[in-house]
């Protein structure tokens, strides 16, 4: 099979970040730098940066790390659609937006992701890890819950 040729409008990048709340800043910076020179709408890029930040923060708060105390942060850009995902070591809880009350100071992360994303979901891995993902700027080709 011949090697796959990368389309000029296509990006596929993975970074490992420490399982730490401050890693959201690193993930945002890496994503923005990776997509800065690509043909992606400014609004889509801004939404992807916010979504990746929320997904990293949620993984740190609600899940355990992968081996090595890290999170896997991945994104793709295809035809103007940015897909971001964060893989953690897994959790007993299920990712879902919580009902918000006016006095809450936390718990808005997945509601923010859901508001920006065309689609979002999660995939549980056989090894116990979990990947939470979001597609921004258009539909995803993933099939998940």
């Amino acid at each position: 099979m011949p090697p796959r040729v990368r389309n000029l409008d296509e990006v596929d990048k993975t970074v490992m970040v420490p399982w730490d709340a401050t890693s959201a800043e690193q993930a945002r910076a890496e994503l923005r730098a990776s997509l800065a020179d690509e043909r992606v709408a400014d609004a889509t890029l801004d939404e992807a940066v916010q979504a990746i930040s929320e997904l990293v923060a949620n993984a740190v708060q609600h899940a355990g790390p992968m081996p090595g105390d890290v999170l896997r942060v991945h994104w793709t850009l295809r035809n103007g659609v940015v897909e971001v995902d964060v893989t953690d070591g897994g959790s007993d809880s299920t990712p879902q937006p919580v009902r918000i009350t006016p006095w809450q100071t936390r718990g808005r992360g997945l509601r923010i992701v859901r508001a920006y994303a065309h689609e979002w979901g999660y995939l549980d891995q056989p090894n116990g890890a979990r990947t939470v993902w979001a597609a921004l700027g258009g539909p995803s080709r993933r099939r998940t819950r």
Side-chain angles (χ1 to χ4, degrees), residues 67-107:
D69 289 337
V70 296
L71 299 171
R72 179 184 161 274
V73 180
H74 176 255
W75 57 88
T76 60
L77 168 65
R78 285 187 189 90
N79 301 319
V81 176
V82 179
E83 287 189 30
V84 297
D85 62 66
V86 174
T87 302
D88 55 49
S91 171
D92 292 334
S93 63
T94 301
Q96 61 185 357
V98 296
R99 187 173 179 168
I100 298 298
T101 60
W103 53 87
Q104 280 180 289
T105 59
R106 300 170 67 180

Side-chain angles (χ1 to χ4, degrees), residues 103-124:
W103 53 87
Q104 280 180 289
T105 59
R106 300 170 67 180
R108 291 176 168 79
L110 282 179
R111 292 180 79 76
I112 291 168
V113 170
R114 186 176 70 177
Y116 287 141
H118 187 82
E119 296 177 282
W120 76 277
Y122 66 93
L123 297 167
D124 289 328

Side-chain angles (χ1 to χ4, degrees), residues 7-139:
N7 182 322
L8 292 178
D9 291 333
E10 204 170 289
V11 173
D12 189 330
K13 184 161 183 182
T14 301
V15 296
M16 303 302 273
V17 299
W19 182 70
D20 184 274
T22 61
S23 294
E25 181 179 347
Q26 178 185 349
R28 286 191 305 266
E30 295 256 4
L31 174 63
R32 191 171 290 283
S34 172
L35 299 182
D37 295 330
E38 302 294 332
R39 286 187 277 190
V40 58
D42 290 342
T44 301
L45 178 56
D46 290 343
E47 291 167 355
V49 166
Q50 182 66 41
I52 203 83
S53 182
E54 296 295 342
L55 295 179
V56 168
N58 283 352
V60 170
Q61 182 177 0
H62 300 292
M66 295 177 65
D69 289 337
V70 296
L71 299 171
R72 179 184 161 274
V73 180
H74 176 255
W75 57 88
T76 60
L77 168 65
R78 285 187 189 90
N79 301 319
V81 176
V82 179
E83 287 189 30
V84 297
D85 62 66
V86 174
T87 302
D88 55 49
S91 171
D92 292 334
S93 63
T94 301
Q96 61 185 357
V98 296
R99 187 173 179 168
I100 298 298
T101 60
W103 53 87
Q104 280 180 289
T105 59
R106 300 170 67 180
R108 291 176 168 79
L110 282 179
R111 292 180 79 76
I112 291 168
V113 170
R114 186 176 70 177
Y116 287 141
H118 187 82
E119 296 177 282
W120 76 277
Y122 66 93
L123 297 167
D124 289 328
Q125 311 296 328
N127 65 357
R130 176 175 286 151
T131 300
V132 182
W133 63 272
L136 302 114

